[in-house]
Amino acid sequence: MLRPMLACCKLYVSEGRSAAALRAVEQAARRHHPAVVLVNTFVDDAYNRVGYTLVSRLTLDAASPTPASPLRRAVFGVVGAALEAIDLGAHAGAHPRLGAVDHVCFHPLAGASLRDVAALAADVGADIGDKLQVPTFLYGAAHREGRTLAAIRRQLGYFTSPRDAQWRGPLLAGGTDTTPLPVAPDAGPDTPSASKGVLVLGATAWVDNYNVPVRTADVDAVRRIARRVSERGGGLRSVQAMGLAHGDGGAEVACNLLDPQSVGAGQVQDMVERLAREQGLDAGEGYFTDFSEEKIVHMYLEKLSAQAEVSSYGFDAPHSTENHR
């Protein structure tokens, strides 16, 4: 049997503590199409943030310029449910964010191309901006000039660190119900609401998220380590890193590995440990916030197979919501 081309969407919401809000979001993720599978839910209480990973088929039609995927409707539904359930104005957490739904990214899987996923992402971005009235910024292959995620975040003030290492309330830089944003969005209104903020949405090749704990309450020291680890600070190529408070009296170096086949978690781990020792600190064992690309494909196909088998007996199959790699 030939494996289908797949599209993956990672979606991050600025809430990790309200059971009612998270229940509404997860119900929306399961509501729209049996071929859309929620393969991972990663809850981080310290960050007050949850990451969801959704996967579905991607179908190409010569008569249409845009690939068809039930993921388009599913992601729109999840974003709508999250915006209704989460109030950014009441949010507080140790991770920076720009919106109640902070970040949405599409990745190609199982033979799909980045170009196909980019077209899907652009359509979803237009749906969200225009129909849900949230300023939506595109990046990566979904943006006509290939703007990077870090670039648009930097323009919007995402990396401006508060003194107590806790982000509270609405947008970090600019943007209220009456103040225009410093950069015009690609879709949606020019002024965000304080309760919803803005949304950043893109399409890229696969990205691994890998975080390394450092046993210290000195967040500034961990930020210095993160700066030296990141490519921007002269460190590892294709690695983006932030130093963030995480848990009671702890911190971590949170990394995006943009080319994990070339520069992976092992190299990040080694460098963080070495830099931590230089400052008299102890780094713990790092962890991924999602499954590997290969395992996600396997889980999706396994889930569809189980659904087909169970449906033949007239029952509904349960959904997978694992939260470890």
Side-chain angles (χ1 to χ4, degrees):
M1 185 179 82
L2 293 176
R3 298 202 308 177
M5 292 193 303
L6 303 177
C8 171
C9 178
K10 295 187 178 186
L11 187 152
Y12 300 88
V13 302
S14 299
E15 179 58 68
R17 301 166 186 165
S18 168
L22 298 182
R23 186 165 52 249
V25 175
E26 291 184 16
Q27 286 175 347
R30 297 178 176 133
R31 184 181 301 141
H32 293 278
H33 199 287
V36 177
V37 176
L38 175 61
V39 297
N40 189 41
T41 301
F42 187 84
V43 182
D44 195 310
D45 183 75
Y47 288 161
N48 199 7
R49 183 178 176 91
V50 176
Y52 299 97
T53 304
L54 298 158
V55 180
S56 82
R57 293 176 182 268
L58 190 66
T59 304
L60 303 183
D61 184 349
S64 173
T66 303
S69 173
L71 203 56
R72 177 176 180 177
R73 186 176 67 174
V75 172
F76 180 81
V78 172
V79 170
L83 291 174
E84 185 174 339
I86 298 168
D87 178 5
L88 186 64
H91 180 273
H95 197 288
R97 73 289 178 278
L98 294 169
V101 180
D102 184 60
H103 179 206
V104 178
C105 188
F106 289 82
H107 307 287
L109 297 175
S113 74
L114 180 57
R115 178 178 179 180
D116 295 331
V117 172
L120 173 62
D123 284 345
V124 174
D127 291 343
I128 292 169
D130 297 339
K131 297 175 183 177
L132 299 179
Q133 286 297 288
V134 177
T136 301
F137 295 86
L138 302 179
Y139 76 90
H143 186 261
R144 60 188 178 278
E145 296 176 0
R147 175 175 59 195
T148 67
L149 173 61
I152 188 58
R153 281 177 163 175
R154 195 164 285 111
Q155 287 179 296
L156 293 172
Y158 181 90
F159 298 108
T160 304
S161 301
R163 288 185 176 181
D164 64 354
Q166 292 286 317
W167 278 262
R168 294 182 175 85
L171 291 172
L172 299 174
T176 64
D177 289 322
T178 58
T179 306
L181 290 157
V183 186
D186 297 286
D190 290 335
T191 55
S193 73
S195 64
K196 297 179 180 179
V198 306
L199 187 147
V200 181
L201 184 149
T204 71
W206 188 259
V207 174
D208 271 341
N209 304 113
Y210 185 74
N211 301 341
V212 183
V214 182
R215 298 182 181 95
T216 180
D218 187 351
V219 179
D220 286 337
V222 178
R223 286 172 179 157
R224 290 193 294 270
I225 293 171
R227 192 174 302 116
R228 292 177 64 185
V229 169
S230 69
E231 180 176 33
R232 183 177 173 85
L236 296 171
R237 186 182 64 80
S238 70
V239 173
Q240 299 171 333
M242 293 187 296
L244 301 171
H246 195 259
D248 294 334
E252 68 179 16
V253 178
C255 300
N256 293 333
L257 312 184
L258 305 184
D259 186 6
Q261 297 302 316
S262 299
V263 180
Q267 291 152 283
V268 170
Q269 182 74 38
D270 290 345
M271 189 168 185
V272 172
E273 289 180 359
R274 175 174 59 81
L275 295 175
R277 283 195 301 270
E278 290 178 5
Q279 298 197 46
L281 302 175
D282 181 28
E285 185 65 29
Y287 63 95
F288 292 94
T289 65
D290 206 345
F291 296 103
S292 68
E293 182 177 3
E294 294 77 14
K295 186 166 185 178
I296 283 175
V297 172
H298 174 75
M299 290 173 67
Y300 173 81
L301 296 174
E302 190 176 57
K303 181 60 184 176
L304 282 192
S305 178
Q307 285 178 336
E309 182 177 345
V310 173
S311 65
S312 67
Y313 291 94
F315 298 103
D316 291 328
H319 288 260
S320 172
T321 56
E322 301 185 53
N323 60 358
H324 53 83
R325 193 173 179 85

